[in-house]
Amino acid sequence: MVDDQPTAECEPTPEVAAAVFGDRLDEANAYARLLTEQGVLRGLIGPSEVPRLWTRHILNCAVLGEVIDDGATAFDIGSGAGLPGIPLAIAKPNVSITLIEPLLRRTTFLDEVVSELGLTNVTVTRGRAEEKAVLAAVGTADVVTSRAVAPLDRLAGWSAPLIRVGGRLIALKGRSVTEEIERDRSAVRKVGIVDLAVTQCGVEVLDEPTTLLVGSRVRTDKDAAAARRAARRAKRGR
């Protein structure tokens, strides 16, 4: 049964949103409205988050565009209600983004958001990032990003196969990120993610900048073996 209590009032659009979204601020406002209404009704975002929707969620994710090159491809794994993928797609229309999410009720919402906002640079894929079917369907990207999905060791294991060699893992993380790096560095290296570092984006526009964990994807023995198998299959197919 749907709760009949009124939805909390959405945080007013901050002035800084215009600097982040430019001429696509209308799309960002439309997304905020969808989160406030359907997002809450469908249980995709908690009512307590609505009064801080812009500062804690939308802007926090949109500034990720500062560290992603124009023309890049990006996968947002465990996209949920579209964070960080949707704000990133609005702020960076020349970045091609695939939202990967396993739950039907969430992908249904994401499809509706993409349609209503006219986001031609966004594709929605239903499935878990670690599934072979998902990897076969989407291939690899320049960047794989996520927000509050899993501890670093698991996150890297899911993300690495989706990142092209030379690409990057860019995860929105909290204050414990340094401890995660120290704890999981060895496990992360085994799946091909190296040069782990902590950085921030949104420093010039947000009161609380977004903390990022960044790593580079390198070739592993597993990659080399897969390349040899693919070469043999291609040779047999001639």
PDB file of all heavy atoms in Angstrom, residues 7-11 31-41 45 50 53:
ATOM      1  N   THR A   7       4.722  13.911   0.422  1.00  0.00           N
ATOM      2  CA  THR A   7       6.159  13.831   0.220  1.00  0.00           C
ATOM      3  C   THR A   7       6.831  15.075   0.785  1.00  0.00           C
ATOM      4  O   THR A   7       6.298  16.178   0.675  1.00  0.00           O
ATOM      5  CB  THR A   7       6.466  13.716  -1.279  1.00  0.00           C
ATOM      6  OG1 THR A   7       5.815  12.560  -1.796  1.00  0.00           O
ATOM      7  CG2 THR A   7       7.957  13.595  -1.525  1.00  0.00           C
ATOM      8  N   ALA A   8       7.992  14.894   1.409  1.00  0.00           N
ATOM      9  CA  ALA A   8       8.723  16.049   1.932  1.00  0.00           C
ATOM     10  C   ALA A   8       9.047  17.016   0.802  1.00  0.00           C
ATOM     11  O   ALA A   8       9.219  16.621  -0.350  1.00  0.00           O
ATOM     12  CB  ALA A   8      10.010  15.576   2.604  1.00  0.00           C
ATOM     13  N   GLU A   9       9.115  18.277   1.134  1.00  0.00           N
ATOM     14  CA  GLU A   9       9.389  19.291   0.126  1.00  0.00           C
ATOM     15  C   GLU A   9      10.837  19.206  -0.318  1.00  0.00           C
ATOM     16  O   GLU A   9      11.759  19.129   0.489  1.00  0.00           O
ATOM     17  CB  GLU A   9       9.098  20.679   0.686  1.00  0.00           C
ATOM     18  CG  GLU A   9       9.246  21.788  -0.335  1.00  0.00           C
ATOM     19  CD  GLU A   9       8.832  23.137   0.224  1.00  0.00           C
ATOM     20  OE1 GLU A   9       8.227  23.167   1.314  1.00  0.00           O
ATOM     21  OE2 GLU A   9       9.120  24.146  -0.440  1.00  0.00           O
ATOM     22  N   CYS A  10      11.028  19.250  -1.624  1.00  0.00           N
ATOM     23  CA  CYS A  10      12.372  19.151  -2.180  1.00  0.00           C
ATOM     24  C   CYS A  10      13.185  20.394  -1.859  1.00  0.00           C
ATOM     25  O   CYS A  10      12.653  21.507  -1.803  1.00  0.00           O
ATOM     26  CB  CYS A  10      12.299  18.965  -3.695  1.00  0.00           C
ATOM     27  SG  CYS A  10      13.904  18.729  -4.488  1.00  0.00           S
ATOM     28  N   GLU A  11      14.460  20.186  -1.640  1.00  0.00           N
ATOM     29  CA  GLU A  11      15.389  21.290  -1.452  1.00  0.00           C
ATOM     30  C   GLU A  11      15.321  22.240  -2.650  1.00  0.00           C
ATOM     31  O   GLU A  11      15.352  21.784  -3.798  1.00  0.00           O
ATOM     32  CB  GLU A  11      16.803  20.716  -1.314  1.00  0.00           C
ATOM     33  CG  GLU A  11      17.899  21.741  -1.195  1.00  0.00           C
ATOM     34  CD  GLU A  11      19.267  21.092  -1.155  1.00  0.00           C
ATOM     35  OE1 GLU A  11      19.362  19.876  -1.436  1.00  0.00           O
ATOM     36  OE2 GLU A  11      20.239  21.798  -0.849  1.00  0.00           O
ATOM     37  N   TYR A  31      14.716  15.962 -13.229  1.00  0.00           N
ATOM     38  CA  TYR A  31      15.178  14.752 -12.535  1.00  0.00           C
ATOM     39  C   TYR A  31      14.914  14.867 -11.032  1.00  0.00           C
ATOM     40  O   TYR A  31      14.459  13.906 -10.399  1.00  0.00           O
ATOM     41  CB  TYR A  31      16.659  14.534 -12.807  1.00  0.00           C
ATOM     42  CG  TYR A  31      17.261  13.341 -12.121  1.00  0.00           C
ATOM     43  CD1 TYR A  31      16.702  12.068 -12.251  1.00  0.00           C
ATOM     44  CD2 TYR A  31      18.402  13.474 -11.326  1.00  0.00           C
ATOM     45  CE1 TYR A  31      17.257  10.958 -11.628  1.00  0.00           C
ATOM     46  CE2 TYR A  31      18.966  12.370 -10.704  1.00  0.00           C
ATOM     47  CZ  TYR A  31      18.388  11.121 -10.852  1.00  0.00           C
ATOM     48  OH  TYR A  31      18.949  10.022 -10.222  1.00  0.00           O
ATOM     49  N   ALA A  32      15.173  16.033 -10.460  1.00  0.00           N
ATOM     50  CA  ALA A  32      14.898  16.246  -9.035  1.00  0.00           C
ATOM     51  C   ALA A  32      13.423  16.023  -8.737  1.00  0.00           C
ATOM     52  O   ALA A  32      13.058  15.413  -7.717  1.00  0.00           O
ATOM     53  CB  ALA A  32      15.333  17.656  -8.623  1.00  0.00           C
ATOM     54  N   ARG A  33      12.569  16.504  -9.618  1.00  0.00           N
ATOM     55  CA  ARG A  33      11.130  16.315  -9.427  1.00  0.00           C
ATOM     56  C   ARG A  33      10.767  14.831  -9.479  1.00  0.00           C
ATOM     57  O   ARG A  33       9.977  14.340  -8.646  1.00  0.00           O
ATOM     58  CB  ARG A  33      10.367  17.090 -10.495  1.00  0.00           C
ATOM     59  CG  ARG A  33       8.857  16.860 -10.451  1.00  0.00           C
ATOM     60  CD  ARG A  33       8.137  17.636 -11.541  1.00  0.00           C
ATOM     61  NE  ARG A  33       8.661  17.350 -12.863  1.00  0.00           N
ATOM     62  CZ  ARG A  33       8.358  16.258 -13.560  1.00  0.00           C
ATOM     63  NH1 ARG A  33       7.557  15.329 -13.040  1.00  0.00           N
ATOM     64  NH2 ARG A  33       8.872  16.068 -14.773  1.00  0.00           N
ATOM     65  N   LEU A  34      11.323  14.097 -10.434  1.00  0.00           N
ATOM     66  CA  LEU A  34      11.028  12.673 -10.549  1.00  0.00           C
ATOM     67  C   LEU A  34      11.496  11.901  -9.321  1.00  0.00           C
ATOM     68  O   LEU A  34      10.805  10.990  -8.840  1.00  0.00           O
ATOM     69  CB  LEU A  34      11.679  12.106 -11.812  1.00  0.00           C
ATOM     70  CG  LEU A  34      11.033  12.529 -13.132  1.00  0.00           C
ATOM     71  CD1 LEU A  34      11.924  12.165 -14.306  1.00  0.00           C
ATOM     72  CD2 LEU A  34       9.663  11.879 -13.287  1.00  0.00           C
ATOM     73  N   LEU A  35      12.672  12.245  -8.815  1.00  0.00           N
ATOM     74  CA  LEU A  35      13.154  11.595  -7.596  1.00  0.00           C
ATOM     75  C   LEU A  35      12.250  11.902  -6.414  1.00  0.00           C
ATOM     76  O   LEU A  35      11.937  11.027  -5.596  1.00  0.00           O
ATOM     77  CB  LEU A  35      14.580  12.049  -7.280  1.00  0.00           C
ATOM     78  CG  LEU A  35      15.717  11.462  -8.114  1.00  0.00           C
ATOM     79  CD1 LEU A  35      17.040  12.078  -7.686  1.00  0.00           C
ATOM     80  CD2 LEU A  35      15.781   9.952  -7.982  1.00  0.00           C
ATOM     81  N   THR A  36      11.832  13.167  -6.307  1.00  0.00           N
ATOM     82  CA  THR A  36      11.001  13.598  -5.185  1.00  0.00           C
ATOM     83  C   THR A  36       9.638  12.919  -5.203  1.00  0.00           C
ATOM     84  O   THR A  36       9.101  12.565  -4.142  1.00  0.00           O
ATOM     85  CB  THR A  36      10.814  15.129  -5.233  1.00  0.00           C
ATOM     86  OG1 THR A  36      12.087  15.754  -5.154  1.00  0.00           O
ATOM     87  CG2 THR A  36       9.954  15.617  -4.080  1.00  0.00           C
ATOM     88  N   GLU A  37       9.097  12.723  -6.387  1.00  0.00           N
ATOM     89  CA  GLU A  37       7.761  12.139  -6.510  1.00  0.00           C
ATOM     90  C   GLU A  37       7.849  10.618  -6.685  1.00  0.00           C
ATOM     91  O   GLU A  37       7.707   9.860  -5.730  1.00  0.00           O
ATOM     92  CB  GLU A  37       7.020  12.799  -7.676  1.00  0.00           C
ATOM     93  CG  GLU A  37       6.809  14.301  -7.452  1.00  0.00           C
ATOM     94  CD  GLU A  37       6.281  15.018  -8.678  1.00  0.00           C
ATOM     95  OE1 GLU A  37       6.097  14.353  -9.726  1.00  0.00           O
ATOM     96  OE2 GLU A  37       6.056  16.238  -8.607  1.00  0.00           O
ATOM     97  N   GLN A  38       8.110  10.152  -7.886  1.00  0.00           N
ATOM     98  CA  GLN A  38       8.114   8.720  -8.161  1.00  0.00           C
ATOM     99  C   GLN A  38       9.247   7.986  -7.451  1.00  0.00           C
ATOM    100  O   GLN A  38       9.094   6.834  -7.037  1.00  0.00           O
ATOM    101  CB  GLN A  38       8.196   8.481  -9.668  1.00  0.00           C
ATOM    102  CG  GLN A  38       6.942   8.851 -10.424  1.00  0.00           C
ATOM    103  CD  GLN A  38       5.740   8.060  -9.930  1.00  0.00           C
ATOM    104  OE1 GLN A  38       5.817   6.841  -9.749  1.00  0.00           O
ATOM    105  NE2 GLN A  38       4.636   8.751  -9.698  1.00  0.00           N
ATOM    106  N   GLY A  39      10.391   8.635  -7.310  1.00  0.00           N
ATOM    107  CA  GLY A  39      11.508   7.993  -6.621  1.00  0.00           C
ATOM    108  C   GLY A  39      11.172   7.615  -5.194  1.00  0.00           C
ATOM    109  O   GLY A  39      11.512   6.529  -4.717  1.00  0.00           O
ATOM    110  N   VAL A  40      10.493   8.510  -4.506  1.00  0.00           N
ATOM    111  CA  VAL A  40      10.085   8.238  -3.125  1.00  0.00           C
ATOM    112  C   VAL A  40       8.956   7.227  -3.089  1.00  0.00           C
ATOM    113  O   VAL A  40       8.978   6.268  -2.299  1.00  0.00           O
ATOM    114  CB  VAL A  40       9.683   9.543  -2.411  1.00  0.00           C
ATOM    115  CG1 VAL A  40       9.068   9.251  -1.047  1.00  0.00           C
ATOM    116  CG2 VAL A  40      10.894  10.453  -2.252  1.00  0.00           C
ATOM    117  N   LEU A  41       7.949   7.413  -3.935  1.00  0.00           N
ATOM    118  CA  LEU A  41       6.795   6.515  -3.947  1.00  0.00           C
ATOM    119  C   LEU A  41       7.202   5.072  -4.226  1.00  0.00           C
ATOM    120  O   LEU A  41       6.619   4.138  -3.688  1.00  0.00           O
ATOM    121  CB  LEU A  41       5.778   6.970  -4.992  1.00  0.00           C
ATOM    122  CG  LEU A  41       4.965   8.223  -4.644  1.00  0.00           C
ATOM    123  CD1 LEU A  41       4.109   8.642  -5.830  1.00  0.00           C
ATOM    124  CD2 LEU A  41       4.092   7.983  -3.419  1.00  0.00           C
ATOM    125  N   ILE A  45      14.354   6.167  -3.185  1.00  0.00           N
ATOM    126  CA  ILE A  45      15.088   7.151  -2.385  1.00  0.00           C
ATOM    127  C   ILE A  45      14.266   7.428  -1.132  1.00  0.00           C
ATOM    128  O   ILE A  45      13.032   7.484  -1.189  1.00  0.00           O
ATOM    129  CB  ILE A  45      15.365   8.439  -3.190  1.00  0.00           C
ATOM    130  CG1 ILE A  45      16.328   9.339  -2.423  1.00  0.00           C
ATOM    131  CG2 ILE A  45      14.080   9.172  -3.549  1.00  0.00           C
ATOM    132  CD1 ILE A  45      16.928  10.451  -3.265  1.00  0.00           C
ATOM    133  N   VAL A  50      14.978  13.843   0.619  1.00  0.00           N
ATOM    134  CA  VAL A  50      14.395  14.845  -0.275  1.00  0.00           C
ATOM    135  C   VAL A  50      14.802  16.277   0.092  1.00  0.00           C
ATOM    136  O   VAL A  50      15.147  17.064  -0.795  1.00  0.00           O
ATOM    137  CB  VAL A  50      12.863  14.687  -0.329  1.00  0.00           C
ATOM    138  CG1 VAL A  50      12.215  15.840  -1.105  1.00  0.00           C
ATOM    139  CG2 VAL A  50      12.497  13.347  -0.971  1.00  0.00           C
ATOM    140  N   LEU A  53      18.236  16.837  -1.368  1.00  0.00           N
ATOM    141  CA  LEU A  53      18.395  16.098  -2.613  1.00  0.00           C
ATOM    142  C   LEU A  53      19.470  16.689  -3.523  1.00  0.00           C
ATOM    143  O   LEU A  53      20.273  15.953  -4.114  1.00  0.00           O
ATOM    144  CB  LEU A  53      17.053  16.079  -3.354  1.00  0.00           C
ATOM    145  CG  LEU A  53      16.927  15.152  -4.563  1.00  0.00           C
ATOM    146  CD1 LEU A  53      17.165  13.706  -4.163  1.00  0.00           C
ATOM    147  CD2 LEU A  53      15.549  15.294  -5.188  1.00  0.00           C
TER     148      LEU A  53
END
